[in-house]
Amino acid sequence: MSHHTILRVVAKFLIPPIILYALYVQWHGDYGPGGGFQAGVIFAVAFILYALVFGLDALVRVFPTAVIRILFSLGVLIYAGTGFVAMFFGKNFLDYSYLGHDPVHAQEWGILLVEFGVGLTVATVMIAIFIAFASRIPSISDEEW
Amino acid sequence: MTDPNIILIALLMPALTALIVSRLDALPDMRDGVSILGALATFGAVLLTLQAFLEGTPLSITLFEVMPGLTLNFTLEPLGMVFATVASGLWIITAIYSVGYMRGAGEKNQTRFYICFALAITGALGIAFAGNLFTLFIFYEMLTVVTYPLVAHKQTPEARAGARTYISILLGTSIAFFLTAIIWTWSLTGTLEFTPGGILSGHISPVFTGVLLALFAFGVGKAALMPFHRWLPAAMVAPTPVSALLHAVAVVKAGVFTLLKIGIYIFGIGLLSRTGASEWLMWLAAASILISSIIALNQDNLKARLAYSTISQLAYVTLGLALANQMGVIGGALQIMTHALGKVTLFMAAGAIYVATHKTHVSELDGLGRQMPFTFAAFTIAALSIIGLPPLGGAWTKWYLMLSSAEAGHQVLIVVLMISSLLNVAYLLPISARGFFYPPSRQRGYDMSTEKLPPVKMAEAPWFCVVPLCITALGCIVLFFTIGDLYEFLLRIPLLPLEGVTP
Amino acid sequence: MPDTMINMDLVTGHYNYWLVVVLMMTGLFITVSRGNLIKKIVGLNLFQTSVFMLYISMGKIKGGTAPILTDDPATVYSNPLPHVLILTAIVVGIATTALALALIIRIRESYGTIEADEILEIEHQIDDPDPSPTNPANALMARIRGNR
Amino acid sequence: MISPDTAAIVIDALLFTFLVITALAIVQLRHLFAVVMLAGVFSLLSAGLFVSLDAVDVAFTEAAVGAGISTVLMLGTMALTAREEKKSPHPIFLPLLVCLVTGAALIYGTLDMPPFGSPDAPVQTHVAPDYIARTPVETGVPNIVTAVLASYRGYDTLGETTVIFTAVIAVLMLLGWDTKNRSLARNARRREEDREKGDEA
Amino acid sequence: MSNLPALQIILPLMAAPICAMVGRPKFAWGLATLVAWASFAISILLFLSVRDGTVISYDMGGWAPPLGIEYRVDVLNAFVLMIVSGMTSFVMPYALKSVASELHESQHAYFYTAFLLCMTGLMGVAITGDAFNVFVFLEISSLSTYALVAMGAARDKRALTAAFNYLIMGTIGATFFVIGLGMMYMVTGTLNMADLAQKIAANGDSRTLRMGFSFVLVGIGLKLAMFPLHLWLPNAYSYAPSAVTTFLASTATKVAIYVMARFMFSIFGFDYDFQANTMQFIMLPLALVAMFAASTVAIFQEDLKRMLAYSSVAQVGYMLLGMSFLTQLGLTATVVHMFNHALIKGGLFMAAGCFIYAVNSSRIDDLKGLGRIMPWTSAAFVLGGLGLIGVPMTAGFISKWYLMQAAFELDWWPIALLIVASSLLAVIYVWRMVEVLYLRDLPEKNDVRAVPLTMLVPMWGLLLLSVYFGVSADITVSAASRAANALIGASNIFWQSGG
């Protein structure tokens, strides 16, 4: 697909807003619809678009698989860790009240943190699954569609 | 006081023997020696328990509790002592005999054979000493499992098929009926202890007594009660020492012994005679006696003929129990002994003939008596004992059973017993007759290619084979003269309460 | 006519659920009746999405709004709990789909087809078409299957 | 005049009609590309339905997942496998029966359900009011769904994240992600094409 | 101490991403093993603290139920947790060499990650007191299971289709479960199990509730391979890697049985007539049919693992039978058999794995005469087989004993007879293997690999334990009996003493 210049240009213009939108959805989840999961999917879409236009190899150069693997594991660990640390404060698992001085703020912080974990995991997982699918040898060639 | 651990020693001795034997695969002489020594040691241990028992020490040992009230317990009682003594005593004889036979017949996998053989004795002793039905069942199953490789020993397709029949009937009946009956008993009474006078009395209606008895009678497949007798002829594919010890002594006797114990200590003779629940069993036993004798008449294979004879003789014990009086029980217990000695002799003789001449069929035996005089003489003595002629042990069995039948008011059974004796004559004595009186020229199926030894006058099997069977033949005679002591001993079997039934 | 009134109530109160049931069963039907593995997964997705509708339907209050707090204290909010459950269920659904598709790719690479019937045929051939005569079970199985 | 209630019913009915049509079309079609596309349409329609049922978060997610990621993965799988469904030789009697019985059971179950949208259904009167009342006080997060998702039932969401993680582990275990694979294949194909061109010349 | 219930789940859950992150096979294995042992220790502590009938309730995030999600641990849970973590502790050492021989090395780290996830999922299902949370963790375990089963493809490509079919059936089952749950939620407005139980008891029967019950039943029935819904199981068990089969056979169905018991007895309760009728008129006959049909099919299998798989379907029949008696004794039998069967089947599948390791095949024809050159594995198989038959002094006997007691207690002695008759079928298929192992001659050309100790020791460990619990059944039976009591008194004891 290297000859589709228009696609490349459009993609270059499209990807930054998509990522921006993803970040908005991620941090705005408390106030409106959205949250870590939706944001993660949108974020992943940006990278998938990148791979579709510039090729899988380009994506993997930007975003090596080893890094992806660490990130999606890290996302789960952030979530579980947020809950786990509470135990050291004598709280139950996932009790966020240790995160702030008053319980309401602690809850807000806790929710932000775990949503970040979710977003991180979802985004990297989607990219990883896409790479896994895309790196197989296709049986239908481009012309046959 | 004797330490009750002596029971455990007696039990473990054969197991230990098996263990040592299993390490001696490379040293056949050592292995066979250990096997015989083990048998001697076991017998010694059993004798010690017997002595303790005769002194009146109540020996009982509980190993552990599987579930509350369900223990692994061994307790001595007269019937069990009879069985234990017979089984362990005859093991010595057959251990010696096995050495001669297995070598003479050139069998493979001899180590496995000796291991399983010794383990089977553990099983038999466990059954003999069992203090409750649960323990008995465990060793009963163990006996089945460890004798399976013995039956399948030759690994030929026929051996495998026979062994398959063997295991499927024995395991099948025991799990389907015996176990059901045990659990039923447990849920009725909450105990499985062998208790003088029985435990079921007052817990069960007369109709269900019959049903439960049926479950037990058919569940104990080793008693070879018709129609679950097929395993016994099938097991004849085993090497002869196996047939001799296990299918004349340990296994089948374990079966009828179990039945006796269940009748006496679980149901209680009183309950059986009161409710008449065992009456059908009596007729079934009578039918078994006659039918299998008739089948035996038509068997040309020597071991098959002996097997059917065994089925018939086992039914005597069942009959003794089903008559539900003291004479019957004593007759049955005596039959365990006399038949064991007689049948083991017959089987060993058959094996000796096979080792010496590779002949397996009755019709091939013409004239062999002169070639193997000791073997045939022993055979004849044992046959006469089985038939029940004095001065041989078997005579007493028939005597007590007839007394018992008369006491129970079933004179018809006396006739059955007499017909059975006649049938015994008809299928056993012709074998001796052929051996001694038929001319050897009529040797049929004499295959020159497989025959190694051309018969020159005396051509007995190895002495390892012949001596044991002579000893047991003598035993048949001795048994006749020691009946007084035996009778006294068997009177100790607690049959209480026996209402309206006097010895 | 009270009877029809009641029936009308039943219909207006439940038509939503019934339509959802129709959609669910269409999805289930595709899954169990189609031999093409991809189509099976599409059916499964349909089935699950319809179940989501069932949940979301039961959380709805007439005249309610989305459960995002407003300043108006008189606002009626629909039940947020089903929404939360279904968010989780959607994620589970996509996870299942991704796994299933990965499996389909592997199946296609090993079998050369993604049609259940053709796969079954190939598997029967692997299952040793030459039963050894020593095993009685083989002979019986062969007879049951109807070959040789 | 059309009351908001009637309007909602009309919108619902329209969406449902389209949903049913889409579903039936998926049953019928054998061209997988069309099937996958229609599945995406189905997701979008259901997202619309979710919006009309006040579930905006769910609608957002369904659109992103059902119409987006799911479609991309399905198309990717198609490219790797096949694009036409073969005609199945099997009778559809048994599946049909299973579905009819299940459907009948479900309809039977709906009969005692509280009417759609009723404010006094158990669902609306137990637990749910607590969430609505306590969220502003205890968490200070305006989006109640987020509050329940990440805090009250945060443990479920941890489970959900783990499910996603499980999926990626499973996919990587099954497929691996060795990108060299594809480059090699493409090179091989290119070489083959070059050779064919060379033959023609 | 107070965080023990959370640690039980969180430990493996957090270990999984660490395994994936590091990505080294040896490390992944080591961590997984350590975590499995730690979980086992935790589950034992938990069991000890609830043995006397107390119920631990643990609020996730500090939110009290029914708003938040709670863990609720009583004797039954703790017992199931112990089975799962204990079996994992045995399987992990076994897996080291077994997995190395059956899987490509690039997959090992992911394999152990998935294994930990599967364990997390199963334990999460067992420990939770929230009905929807059951679904989430069920899916964690299911998804990882599908992938683990598919890993058998390195040995036999049929593992892929087996996994796919399992996925379809499992997902349909899970969706049914969600539908049923939705209906229950609709009439009660809650998802907390204790709350559900109270609301159901208070609101009484309705058509929605009935269908909710039925869909939950069918949904879990699919997961636990209840008789006509078992079609996924034989292939999945046959083609999965040995370690996976062992693990699944001894834990997954048990947890599903637990969930079913929990829903039936703790949530719907004994007084729910619709349930009682379903049990006696549908479940009981199905369980009996399962015992016979599956055992009969097992006899005719040509593959050892497949034979054992069908035997598992039959054994699930025993457990369901115990449940459908609706008595304390019946439930005791079910719980005891859950435990005993885990040990026995685990040991047997390990033996099958050893055969696969040695001769790279589990076809019964390829195992001829192995008794002589693989004495330990073969003897272990025989021991396990005896347990399966229910020979006394093995754990299987205890199960059968209680099951029959339960039948006699109700005076259903025809059923007692059927129970023993079905174990006769087990005699046949076990004996067929004994014959092949010991009474056939080894083929001339054989290529037998020595089985490493790391595989033999766990296998023997399990089977010796099965003998131990057959000889001294006091521990298991008393635990099971308490668990049954907890279920029987569900609506009063279980729910009210917690908190």
Side-chain angles (χ1 to χ4, degrees), chain B residues 391-436:
Chain B
L392 294 157
W396 290 116
T397 312
K398 295 233 161 128
W399 170 250
Y400 284 114
L401 284 178
M402 285 182 186
L403 277 182
S404 163
S405 309
E407 190 182 298
H410 291 296
Q411 275 75 7
V412 141
L413 291 177
I414 299 177
V415 181
V416 168
L417 290 170
M418 286 166 74
I419 295 175
S420 163
S421 286
L422 285 179
L423 287 169
N424 291 348
V425 170
Y427 64 74
L428 283 177
L429 284 188
I431 300 167
S432 304
R434 272 175 186 267
F436 284 122

Side-chain angles (χ1 to χ4, degrees), chain A residues 25-106:
Chain A
V25 171
Q26 171 80 47
W27 303 119
H28 194 65
D30 292 5
Y31 304 99
F37 187 79
Q38 295 90 333
V41 171
I42 295 167
F43 198 79
V45 165
F47 280 85
I48 291 171
L49 188 63
Y50 184 80
L52 286 176
V53 176
F54 298 97
L56 197 57
D57 297 335
L59 174 64
V60 175
R61 261 196 307 278
V62 178
F63 213 170
T65 50
V67 174
I68 298 179
R69 197 187 67 214
I70 289 173
L71 287 183
F72 66 62
S73 309
L74 197 64
V76 180
L77 281 178
I78 288 176
Y79 199 137
T82 307
F84 194 74
V85 174
M87 294 191 194
F88 294 108
F89 290 87
K91 304 284 182 190
N92 276 1
F93 182 69
L94 282 180
D95 191 335
Y96 307 137
S97 51
Y98 70 96
L99 282 166
H101 291 297
D102 70 308
V104 174
H105 277 99

Side-chain angles (χ1 to χ4, degrees), chain B residues 246-451:
Chain B
L246 300 173
H247 303 118
V249 184
V251 175
V252 291
K253 291 307 172 332
V256 286
F257 168 76
T258 304
L259 273 188
L260 275 182
K261 272 197 110 150
I262 289 168
I264 296 168
Y265 298 108
I266 297 293
F267 284 90
I269 292 296
L271 180 71
L272 289 182
S273 66
R274 234 183 6 257
T275 57
S278 60
E279 199 149 316
W280 65 271
L281 186 60
M282 186 172 75
W283 297 116
L284 184 69
S288 262
I289 291 172
L290 293 182
I291 295 171
S292 52
S293 297
I294 292 166
I295 297 175
L297 268 179
N298 296 319
Q299 299 296 317
D300 188 34
N301 184 309
L302 181 51
K303 283 175 73 179
R305 182 176 290 196
L306 295 179
Y308 277 101
S309 157
T310 305
I311 297 170
S312 155
Q313 296 286 318
L314 288 175
Y316 280 39
V317 185
T318 314
L319 181 67
L321 170 70
L323 284 167
N325 55 34
Q326 184 155 33
M327 283 302 135
V329 171
I330 290 177
L334 271 179
Q335 170 74 350
I336 289 181
M337 272 184 279
T338 56
H339 176 251
L341 273 174
K343 200 44 78 54
V344 84
T345 315
L346 293 182
F347 270 119
M348 287 196 289
I353 294 167
Y354 173 74
V355 169
T357 67
H358 278 248
K359 291 189 170 118
T360 55
H361 284 72
V362 175
S363 48
E364 299 166 351
L365 302 181
D366 297 0
L368 275 182
R370 262 159 292 181
Q371 188 185 319
M372 309 175 66
F374 288 102
T375 306
F376 271 81
F379 187 95
T380 311
I381 293 170
L384 291 173
S385 173
I386 299 272
I387 291 163
L389 292 178
L392 294 157
W396 290 116
T397 312
K398 295 233 161 128
W399 170 250
Y400 284 114
L401 284 178
M402 285 182 186
L403 277 182
S404 163
S405 309
E407 190 182 298
H410 291 296
Q411 275 75 7
V412 141
L413 291 177
I414 299 177
V415 181
V416 168
L417 290 170
M418 286 166 74
I419 295 175
S420 163
S421 286
L422 285 179
L423 287 169
N424 291 348
V425 170
Y427 64 74
L428 283 177
L429 284 188
I431 300 167
S432 304
R434 272 175 186 267
F436 284 122
F437 304 123
Y438 277 42
S441 56
R442 283 186 58 202
Q443 284 164 346
R444 274 180 284 174
Y446 191 87
D447 188 357
M448 289 304 290
S449 59
T450 59
E451 253 359 90

